Amino acid sequence: MTVVTDGAVLRDALGLLKDREEVAERLLEASVKHSFDPDTELDWDAPPAPDKWFWPPELVSLYDTPLWRRMPEEQRMDLARHEAASLASLGIWFEIILMQLLVRHIYDMPVTSAHVQYALTEIGDETRHSKMFARLIRTSGTPTYAVTRLHHNMARVMKTISTTPGSFASTLLGEEILDWMQRLTFPDERVQPLVRGVTRIHVVEEARHVRYAREELRRQMVTAPAWQRRLVGVTSGQSAQVFALSFVNPKVYTDVGLDRAEAVAQVRASGHRREVMQTGAKRLTDFLDDVGVLRGAGRRMWRSSGLLA
Ligand SMILES: [Fe+2]
Ligand SMILES: [Fe+2]
């Protein structure tokens, strides 16, 4: 589907849309069957295995750079532990933003509809996730890695005023790339059992969130006025730039005894890292392209974020 320009295209696009209530009812059924309480589901007291990674090495930002090759294995594993904590911190930030966006989304809707009931269910999932990520950070013995004050405040504005399609485009950005990494993490036997458990729970519950946000964004891109569709491209392009910059907090490098400027420069120059980020974003950028978000200035901003080839 491309940007809607006339009645015929609009009718075609509407043919692709699934019934909002039907989608929500199916997601509610799946939530009853596959929801987890991380506090009882996972063994939080087991000591970490000394020979296991907190994050798959190929997904660590410095992997395969000259600096990485010079680092002893112990320092690489330490960096993986700090990057896992940085991603968990980022995850909590996204989820707190998302919860507010969802509350704003349903504020004017019929409260007994399945669509609203599912949004409330998703908020419930995210409260458990954020607590689970925080507990993982505490258990890992690492600091919490907050985003910069500027990004923190930019998101404050975004989550307060963003239009609904913009909210769902940002939601997907927050969910899909981390989800791609987590799908590689939970089956990986080199990884700490606790991290595998956390990522498995998150992947199962997140699949529903992605479905809900995608269906809603597709629906809204068909009905939104042209100015709003163009705005979504630009705001999501800006979110992609913030996302790429804040993805791994550079403080992790100093915390494991590396030179921050050198590490950041090597990550920027890393072909492996670029490929990881673009592959991780591919499922999302293909979808955004399909629903008409990646046009004009917005597309250029996505490119400059490094997430779109
Ligand atoms: Fe989540
Ligand atoms: Fe989610």
Side-chain angles (χ1 to χ4, degrees):
M1 176 172 48
T2 50
V3 174
V4 178
T5 48
D6 59 37
V9 179
L10 178 62
R11 272 194 307 281
D12 280 358
L14 285 171
L16 281 173
L17 299 182
K18 303 207 172 57
D19 181 75
R20 199 186 224 176
E21 283 295 280
E22 236 171 70
V23 169
E25 271 156 24
R26 241 177 276 136
L27 293 173
L28 281 166
E29 278 166 32
S31 306
V32 171
K33 284 192 207 134
H34 305 289
S35 290
F36 305 92
D37 176 0
D39 284 332
T40 53
E41 188 78 21
L42 303 173
D43 183 1
W44 294 94
D45 297 325
D51 56 338
K52 303 250 181 209
W53 293 77
F54 278 78
W55 206 241
E58 301 79 11
L59 300 180
V60 174
S61 61
L62 274 171
Y63 181 80
D64 205 28
T65 58
L67 186 55
W68 178 267
R69 289 192 279 273
R70 288 205 310 268
M71 288 160 64
E73 190 76 347
E74 199 185 321
Q75 195 180 25
R76 292 174 178 171
M77 291 179 90
D78 206 27
L79 179 61
R81 183 167 66 96
H82 284 75
E83 286 202 12
S86 174
L87 292 174
S89 309
L90 188 76
I92 297 172
W93 183 54
F94 285 151
E95 288 180 338
I96 289 173
I97 294 169
L98 168 62
M99 286 187 248
Q100 184 171 350
L101 293 175
L102 281 172
V103 167
R104 286 184 51 219
H105 171 61
I106 60 173
Y107 189 63
D108 291 315
M109 291 186 181
V111 286
T112 53
S113 66
H115 188 73
V116 168
Q117 292 302 304
Y118 182 74
L120 294 172
T121 305
E122 180 168 328
I123 292 166
D125 292 348
E126 300 297 21
T127 58
R128 293 194 306 278
H129 295 170
S130 288
K131 283 162 64 191
M132 169 174 79
F133 289 147
R135 194 165 178 182
L136 179 66
I137 297 169
R138 282 201 309 272
T139 309
S140 306
T142 51
T144 305
Y145 288 99
V147 296
T148 64
R149 208 66 219 161
L150 174 68
H151 291 160
H152 186 81
N153 283 327
M154 280 169 79
R156 185 196 310 281
V157 176
M158 188 280 277
K159 71 193 173 76
T160 310
I161 64 167
S162 90
T163 60
T164 318
S167 300
F168 281 101
S170 302
T171 297
L172 286 168
L173 172 69
E175 291 186 328
E176 292 213 29
I177 300 175
L178 276 171
D179 187 59
W180 177 84
M181 288 197 167
Q182 292 178 346
R183 277 169 195 269
L184 294 173
T185 304
F186 81 80
D188 193 328
E189 291 180 355
R190 299 168 302 171
V191 172
Q192 295 286 348
L194 182 61
V195 175
R196 293 182 66 188
V198 164
T199 48
R200 179 179 51 82
I201 287 176
H202 202 249
V203 164
V204 171
E205 300 191 341
E206 211 59 21
R208 304 191 290 262
H209 303 178
V210 168
R211 174 84 200 280
Y212 185 78
R214 280 188 172 211
E215 298 285 352
E216 194 56 25
L217 181 59
R218 188 183 281 284
R219 198 175 291 125
Q220 298 202 0
M221 284 300 285
V222 172
T223 49
W227 68 266
Q228 212 174 65
R229 290 199 304 270
R230 273 196 298 275
L231 184 66
V232 178
V234 173
T235 54
S236 79
Q238 189 169 45
S239 299
Q241 290 177 339
V242 170
F243 180 89
L245 283 174
S246 54
F247 194 68
V248 169
N249 188 318
K251 191 173 167 288
V252 295
Y253 305 122
T254 18
D255 285 351
V256 300
L258 296 170
D259 180 80
R260 174 178 168 147
E262 187 190 11
V264 169
Q266 295 214 7
V267 171
R268 283 217 182 110
S270 165
H272 171 81
R273 187 57 175 177
R274 193 165 41 247
E275 204 181 306
V276 163
M277 296 305 285
Q278 288 181 358
T279 310
K282 175 104 175 50
R283 206 177 40 167
L284 169 66
T285 48
D286 284 352
F287 172 76
L288 293 179
D289 207 11
D290 185 39
V291 299
V293 171
L294 298 184
R295 301 279 180 276
R299 188 179 193 91
R300 287 193 291 280
M301 291 166 84
W302 269 87
R303 277 236 170 82
S304 82
S305 77
L307 297 174
L308 180 67

